[in-house]
Amino acid sequence: MVAALSNNVANSSIDLVLTVAPIAWNGNLSAVWDINTTANWQNGGLSGQLYQEGDTVVFDDTAAGNYAVTVNSQVHPQSVTVSNNLNSYSFSGPGGIAWTSGLLKTGTNALTLNEANYFAGAATVGTGALVLGNVNAVTGPGGLNIADGAVVQPKLAGTYASVATTLNGSSTLNGSFGGSLDFHVGGTETWPGPLQLASDTATIGCYGGTCNVTLSGPLTGSGSLTFRREGG
């Protein structure tokens, strides 16, 4: 937390302004993301920091290790940013992330969500891949925004949580189309949330053996939708 004094002319007062500085995952002591217990975090290169509820948290390539993060109890950060080019991250465990103002995924590597989460703000995938290892990995009113150059990969058969999803762009990234939903499992997968086509060519991909994908939500937007089959 950073404190500063501000001259409030309108109210003829000197105000104390508190700003919560982001903390970054270090993972030098364990793989567990807990609350005010394990000093697994760093701030401005200073290690030994604790996570407190309401912190703004960042997961990037500066971590010492433990990129497979365990969330044993529900955490309530202000926001979560995962910016990873060198290492893939995963979140797993009986807990989850809740009531955060949003999730931002950047960097060319992947983030896998194996736990249930609730995002009050948007879950935005700017670059790289967001892998859904839980049908409730992304829930909440903020919606899911998949940018040009990014991909979301549902990995389980079943019905996913209903979340408004926006598909942007039609570029390719590592052989996959950017701004797309790529289903990666044999069996039946249902995506019940509304789909907005905000690009020229949004794509739905299907990988593996028998792959049955049902889009049961409303389809809106002025873009076009392309279905493709790869592998299997």
Side-chain angles (χ1 to χ4, degrees):
M1 182 175 294
V2 178
L5 295 177
S6 174
N7 184 14
N8 190 332
V9 177
N11 292 326
S12 300
S13 64
I14 301 296
D15 297 341
L16 178 64
V17 180
L18 300 177
T19 303
V20 178
I23 59 172
W25 175 255
N26 196 21
N28 56 316
L29 299 181
S30 75
V32 178
W33 177 0
D34 51 30
I35 302 169
N36 198 27
T37 302
T38 308
N40 264 328
W41 301 82
Q42 55 184 327
N43 187 338
L46 180 63
S47 61
Q49 305 299 303
L50 295 172
Y51 166 77
Q52 308 281 355
E53 291 283 67
D55 278 343
T56 297
V57 299
V58 176
F59 294 83
D60 58 22
D61 291 323
T62 65
N66 286 312
Y67 299 97
V69 180
T70 301
V71 189
N72 287 325
S73 59
Q74 196 172 80
V75 292
H76 303 82
Q78 173 64 28
S79 65
V80 180
T81 297
V82 179
S83 180
N84 54 326
N85 293 300
L86 302 178
N87 303 282
S88 60
Y89 271 97
S90 66
F91 296 158
S92 306
I97 303 167
W99 292 105
T100 177
S101 62
L103 168 70
L104 175 61
K105 166 68 183 78
T106 64
T108 56
N109 223 309
L111 166 64
T112 300
L113 300 178
N114 292 318
E115 83 287 33
N117 303 290
Y118 180 93
F119 300 111
T124 299
V125 189
T127 51
L130 176 63
V131 181
L132 307 182
N134 188 307
V135 294
N136 293 311
V138 177
T139 69
L144 177 61
N145 185 36
I146 309 171
D148 186 11
V151 62
V152 170
Q153 299 173 342
K155 287 282 190 176
L156 297 176
T159 300
Y160 284 78
S162 179
V163 60
T165 303
T166 302
L167 300 176
N168 301 274
S170 57
S171 67
T172 58
L173 177 68
N174 297 330
S176 293
F177 285 81
S180 67
L181 276 168
D182 283 354
F183 294 88
H184 278 246
V185 66
T188 299
E189 295 171 285
T190 300
W191 194 264
L195 274 178
Q196 180 181 6
L197 310 181
S199 70
D200 228 8
T201 309
T203 59
I204 301 292
C206 184
Y207 290 75
T210 302
C211 186
N212 300 306
V213 177
T214 300
L215 305 177
S216 58
L219 194 63
T220 62
S222 58
S224 59
L225 183 61
T226 300
F227 291 89
R228 74 184 189 284
R229 172 68 183 271
E230 297 187 21

